[in-house]
Amino acid sequence: MHLEANFIVTIDDMIEFNLHALGKNQANIWLYRILWLIVPGFLFFFGIRLFLEDRGLLIGVAQVAFGLLWAFLFWPMIAIFNRWYTRMVVTERTMKATIGPTTIVLDEERVLVRKERYDFSTQWKYVNHVEETQGILYLYLSEMIAVVIPRYRFDRPEEYQAVRDFAFRRVSQEKSASPGTTSTQLRKA
C-alpha cells in the first residue's frame, strides 16, 4: 500500500511539539520541582528565623510573603518562559526548514517526508512510537525528534485519518514483528 498526503506545518505546530516533548523530559521536570521547592524553603526558613529571633520582623514577613508568591507563581512563570524560549528557538534558522508545505509518503517499507529544502526518509523500524495529542500526530524517531503531522493543516480530514491509521497500523506491525523492543510503544492521548 502507498499513501501520499500534503499538509502545512506552522511555527505554532513546531512550538506545540517542542513544548510537548519538553514536558515529557524527566530531567526538566525534576529541575523545575527542585527550584520550586528550594527557593521558598530557604525563604520560609530564614524568614521565620528572623521573625522568631526578633531581628527583622519586616524582613522576615517579606521573605515569607515572597516565598508564598514564588510557590504560587512559579508554574505559570515556567509555562510562559518555556513558551517564549521555545518560540525563540523554533524561529531560528535551524528550525525554519521544518516549517511550511509538506508532503508525506507512506508505504510498507518507509516514511518519506518532502519539504521545500530537503527530503527525509526512514524505515518504519526506526520509528520508535506514534503519539497523537491535541490534534497533532507525532512519529517519534527519538525522545526529542519527531515527524509532526498536524490534523487541521490537511486539505481534507480523511487524508489525515488515512495517514494516522496507516502510521498506527504500520508501527504496531513493526513492533509486534520484532519482540523484545520494550522501550518503544504506541500512544494515543
Side-chain angles (χ1 to χ4, degrees):
M1 183 176 167
H2 174 86
L3 178 64
E4 185 170 332
N6 297 308
F7 57 94
I8 295 172
V9 177
T10 65
I11 288 175
D12 291 331
D13 298 327
M14 293 307 297
I15 289 170
E16 287 306 314
F17 164 68
N18 282 279
L19 288 172
H20 179 70
L22 185 66
K24 293 183 349 179
N25 186 323
Q26 290 300 313
N28 284 341
I29 292 169
W30 279 104
L31 175 67
Y32 292 154
R33 286 178 181 162
I34 289 169
L35 284 173
W36 180 63
L37 291 172
I38 286 180
V39 172
F42 277 114
L43 289 170
F44 289 154
F45 174 76
F46 289 110
I48 291 171
R49 188 172 155 210
L50 286 172
F51 179 75
L52 292 176
E53 293 176 359
D54 273 339
R55 292 192 311 167
L57 178 64
L58 189 59
I59 294 172
V61 169
Q63 281 184 289
V64 170
F66 185 73
L68 285 170
L69 190 65
W70 174 275
F72 285 110
L73 294 180
F74 180 79
W75 294 110
M77 289 184 325
I78 287 297
I80 291 167
F81 171 78
N82 281 344
R83 187 163 288 282
W84 168 80
Y85 183 76
T86 302
R87 181 171 288 279
M88 185 181 71
V89 169
V90 167
T91 55
E92 290 292 319
R93 269 184 285 184
T94 56
M95 295 292 289
K96 284 188 179 177
T98 61
I99 297 166
T102 306
T103 300
I104 190 164
V105 180
L106 307 174
D107 61 34
E108 294 300 322
E109 298 299 316
R110 66 188 171 101
V111 176
L112 171 65
V113 178
R114 289 189 187 124
K115 302 293 278 180
E116 194 173 278
R117 296 184 187 180
Y118 67 90
D119 287 352
F120 168 77
S121 178
T122 189
Q123 295 175 345
W124 282 106
K125 67 181 177 181
Y126 298 117
V127 177
N128 288 344
H129 67 275
V130 179
E131 188 172 341
E132 185 179 30
T133 60
Q134 299 174 1
I136 300 177
L137 184 69
Y138 304 114
L139 303 179
Y140 277 92
L141 305 175
S142 73
E143 186 178 327
M144 294 295 289
I145 298 173
V147 176
V148 176
I149 306 169
R151 167 181 285 222
Y152 301 106
R153 309 282 189 235
F154 281 80
D155 291 333
R156 297 178 317 190
E158 58 270 10
E159 284 183 336
Y160 172 82
Q161 195 63 39
V163 168
R164 178 194 172 282
D165 293 346
F166 190 99
F168 274 109
R169 180 186 59 79
R170 192 60 191 91
V171 170
S172 178
Q173 286 175 346
E174 191 64 41
K175 299 312 169 196
S176 64
S178 53
T181 29
T182 57
S183 64
T184 56
Q185 52 191 311
L186 295 174
R187 299 182 189 163
K188 290 183 188 177

